[in-house]
């Protein structure tokens, strides 16, 4: 049975954290739930979410251990706060900050060194998809971004760039195909799907064999919509148990 991972990436937004935590469904036993707030709100998120078993993630981490890197945030500092995960290589960081697979791998490695689980994001652009390059982009993205890393210690998120924030999710079949390819490259690593996940399409996506969870942007900003997706994961787990 899958242990679902439902992760919310709040990007540069922050709802009222205590109210949000109070409104989330109880999840004992339930999926692993992770919230990635903006850096300044990590301590408040830790205070509010630890009580309800929600793990807290950073949205990025420095590739450097420490030193003269103005504006960077180290894995050591994040871990010392109590964060347990770090998203690395999100397509917004790749697009707006020129992050390469090699840099993403360095970030994931430093996260792992400090006990953070990296959530490594990969995904093709619409142009790459049109050119038929999806498989090559994912293969390169995963093998270079997770190069030398222990697959049992990482999470990979398949986030097609064209599906992010557009309201047009990948079909469950396409997402599953990509997740299966990724699972072959990093056997044992949970593969999440991200890109316009909503309470309406979560069930179909999460039902797919190689999709172990979701990385959710917009729909993770409301406790109701995130809660509905968590509840979907809970009911899918129950249904699998009953089989
Ligand atoms: P949306 O769910 O808003 O499409 O964002 C997905 C995402 O980028 C999560 O990291």
């Amino acid at each position: 049975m899958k242990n679902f991972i439902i992760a919310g990436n709040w990007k540069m937004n922050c709802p009222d954290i205590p109210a949000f935590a109070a409104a989330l469904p109880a999840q004992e036993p339930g999926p692993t739930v992770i919230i990635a707030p903006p850096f300044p709100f990590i301590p408040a998120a830790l205070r509010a979410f630890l009580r309800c078993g929600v793990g807290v993630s950073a949205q990025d981490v420095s590739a450097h251990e420490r030193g003269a890197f103005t504006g960077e945030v180290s894995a050591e500092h994040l871990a010392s706060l109590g964060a347990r995960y770090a998203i690395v290589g999100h397509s917004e960081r790749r697009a707006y900050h020129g992050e390469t697979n090699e840099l993403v791998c360095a970030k994931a490695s430093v996260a792992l060194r400090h006990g953070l689980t990296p959530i490594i994001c990969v995904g093709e652009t619409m142009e790459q998809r049109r050119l038929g390059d999806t498989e090559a982009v994912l293969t390169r993205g995963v093998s270079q971004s997770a190069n030398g890393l222990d697959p049992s210690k990482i999470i990979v998120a398949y986030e097609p760039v064209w599906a992010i924030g557009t309201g047009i999710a990948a079909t469950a079949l396409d997402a599953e195909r990509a997740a299966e390819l990724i699972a072959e490259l990093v056997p044992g690593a949970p593969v999440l799907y991200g890109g316009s996940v909503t309470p309406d399409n979560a069930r179909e996506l999460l039902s797919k064999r190689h999709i172990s969870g979701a990385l959710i942007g917009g729909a993770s900003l409301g406790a109701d919509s995130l809660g509905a997706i968590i509840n979907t994961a809970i009911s899918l787990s129950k249904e699998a148990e009953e089989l």
Side-chain angles (χ1 to χ4, degrees):
M1 199 184 71
K2 277 190 268 186
N3 173 22
F4 284 109
I5 299 171
I6 305 298
N9 175 10
W10 282 356
K11 308 192 181 184
M12 210 166 71
N13 306 288
C14 197
D16 180 310
I17 292 177
F20 192 99
L24 279 186
Q27 357 134 13
E28 268 304 326
T32 299
V33 178
I34 302 167
I35 299 280
F39 283 130
F41 297 100
I42 286 177
L46 284 161
R47 279 194 298 277
F49 290 135
L50 280 187
R51 260 177 284 140
C52 48
V54 173
V56 174
S57 176
Q59 296 176 15
D60 184 30
V61 66
S62 177
H64 304 284
E65 281 286 345
R66 66 179 64 78
F69 300 102
T70 302
E72 295 273 273
V73 177
S74 76
E76 185 180 10
H77 291 162
L78 289 166
S80 74
L81 286 176
R84 305 217 329 258
Y85 305 86
I87 296 172
V88 291
H90 191 280
S91 70
E92 286 148 17
R93 298 222 46 97
R94 292 177 186 262
Y96 308 141
H97 302 273
E99 297 199 2
T100 60
N101 289 328
E102 289 71 20
L103 178 69
V104 172
C105 187
K107 290 183 170 201
S109 307
V110 81
L112 280 167
R113 268 205 297 283
H114 293 280
L116 301 173
T117 301
I119 303 172
I120 300 173
C121 301
V122 291
E124 81 285 2
T125 61
M126 185 47 98
E127 182 62 9
Q128 290 165 331
R129 185 179 177 78
R130 258 200 287 266
L131 292 169
D133 285 347
T134 301
E135 274 194 23
V137 169
L138 295 183
T139 303
R140 211 167 43 239
V142 174
S143 42
Q144 294 179 352
S145 302
N147 186 19
L149 308 181
D150 178 350
S152 72
K153 298 211 160 71
I154 65 173
I155 297 170
V156 178
Y158 168 56
E159 295 211 311
V161 179
W162 50 268
I164 295 177
T166 58
I168 303 165
T171 63
L173 206 64
D174 279 353
E176 167 66 359
R177 230 178 256 136
E180 184 172 7
L181 170 70
I182 293 168
E184 279 163 16
L185 296 166
V186 277
V191 182
L192 315 183
Y193 167 77
S196 296
V197 176
T198 64
D200 291 337
N201 60 21
R203 169 170 272 271
E204 204 188 346
L205 289 159
L206 294 176
S207 303
K208 293 294 175 202
R209 175 150 173 241
H210 296 91
I211 300 179
S212 295
L215 180 55
I216 307 149
S220 75
L221 289 169
D224 285 357
S225 46
L226 185 66
I229 298 169
I230 293 170
N231 284 331
T232 299
I234 293 173
S235 49
L236 283 170
S237 296
K238 278 204 193 116
E239 288 163 28
E241 248 171 47
E242 283 159 17
L243 283 180

